[in-house]
Amino acid sequence: MEQAAAAVAVPYDEDLGVHSQSDGFTRQQPWDFATTRRAGYPLLLHFPYYDLYRKQVVKQADLVLAMHLRHDAFTAHQKERNFAYYEAITVRDSSLSAATQAVLAAEVGHTDLAAAYLAECAFIDLEDIEHNTTDGLHLASLAGIWTALVSGFGGMRDGPDGFSFAPRLPPRLSRLAFGLRIGAGVLRVELDGESVTYRFDGNGVARFRSFGTEVELEAGNEATKPIPAQRSPRPAPRQPQGRSPRVPHDLIAAPRTPGVV
């Protein structure tokens, strides 16, 4: 198992400056999104796999998920370029994709786009976005709400060095609060647009990083850290024609809300 894990590699296209989802993927012919009608989605139900697998088209955000789970293996610049590249060819024929796209959209600075993907996760059954809620709830997508909030806007990552946070809210949200169990206690995280407060309740000591700075909290203590200003990101990437986040327009344009807990 360890040998197999050590042998895993993600190809890198030097010419495009992006990682390839599979060997040679970025050299394949692009999918013709312009002539693909809305009735042609999900693609896997209307086109043969032989055609799909030899074109640059992605069902769900797989390479983007790799950047979430192995956040330490990609630079900030690589994440930004990879996200933009794959956003343009990911059709999201799976309800599992939106939460992952929300996480990376928030990390690279596209918080409005992240909020739209969060809304898709939250309303997938309430608005019957996939037109199949009669078959049952999309439980994985609903669980993705937590992922989009905590890993996306909360900026939480877990790796070999423990927990780290780099939170950032979209303009429409004024507050986010959540808790995580660390050792024998619970780390409570609360943020607004300007600062984030960490409080540790329980036993022992909580150690983590906030925007790269080491923080150590004994039980019953709290610490407030500023949220540094983020440089203006590049223009938000576009999705394939007709495959932008599927939420009611009034939800995307909604004003700042009192808060999310």
Side-chain angles (χ1 to χ4, degrees), residues 43-55:
L43 295 180
L44 64 105
L45 298 182
H46 298 88
F47 297 91
Y49 282 109
Y50 172 77
D51 199 15
L52 293 171
Y53 285 171
R54 61 194 182 100
K55 299 288 179 62

Side-chain angles (χ1 to χ4, degrees), residues 26-246:
T26 53
R27 296 191 298 273
Q28 295 177 179
Q29 182 180 354
W31 183 265
D32 187 359
F33 293 108
T35 61
T36 303
R37 297 179 297 175
R38 186 179 295 273
Y41 294 96
L43 295 180
L44 64 105
L45 298 182
H46 298 88
F47 297 91
Y49 282 109
Y50 172 77
D51 199 15
L52 293 171
Y53 285 171
R54 61 194 182 100
K55 299 288 179 62
Q56 285 195 61
V57 60
V58 180
K59 174 187 176 183
Q60 58 196 38
D62 297 323
L63 192 280
V64 175
L65 177 62
M67 295 192 294
H68 174 196
L69 298 179
R70 279 304 311 273
H71 55 93
D72 55 322
F74 302 85
T75 67
H77 180 66
Q78 289 171 345
K79 290 176 183 178
E80 184 177 19
R81 287 188 63 85
N82 286 340
F83 179 77
Y85 188 88
Y86 284 93
E87 191 73 0
I89 59 175
T90 300
V91 295
R92 295 183 307 103
D93 282 342
S94 168
S95 62
L96 304 177
S97 194
T100 293
Q101 288 172 281
V103 171
L104 265 295
E107 180 173 349
V108 301
H110 303 304
T111 55
D112 281 335
L113 179 59
Y117 280 130
L118 167 64
E120 179 173 304
C121 290
F123 286 88
I124 188 168
D125 290 314
L126 291 173
E127 295 288 339
D128 197 12
I129 291 174
E130 296 281 359
H131 307 294
N132 59 3
T133 300
T134 54
D135 296 330
L137 298 178
H138 294 78
L139 294 181
S141 181
L142 296 177
I145 298 170
W146 187 92
T147 301
L149 286 170
V150 175
S151 295
F153 299 132
M156 185 274 288
R157 299 290 186 273
D158 185 16
D161 296 330
F163 285 103
S164 64
F165 301 89
R168 199 169 305 278
L169 289 179
R172 73 197 65 192
L173 294 181
S174 61
R175 177 176 171 268
L176 173 64
F178 57 90
L180 294 169
R181 179 165 293 280
I182 296 181
V186 174
L187 179 68
R188 305 191 183 279
V189 183
E190 182 173 344
L191 63 138
D192 55 26
E194 297 180 352
S195 65
V196 53
T197 297
Y198 305 97
R199 178 178 176 83
F200 185 59
D201 295 321
N203 298 310
V205 177
R207 297 180 178 86
F208 55 91
R209 295 185 306 282
S210 180
F211 291 100
T213 300
E214 297 289 340
V215 179
E216 183 175 301
L217 282 181
E218 295 182 354
N221 291 345
E222 67 178 39
T224 298
K225 304 293 182 180
I227 295 177
Q230 188 176 42
R231 67 174 179 82
S232 298
R234 297 179 182 182
R238 299 178 64 86
Q239 297 76 38
Q241 180 175 291
R243 308 308 289 172
S244 58
R246 291 163 289 179

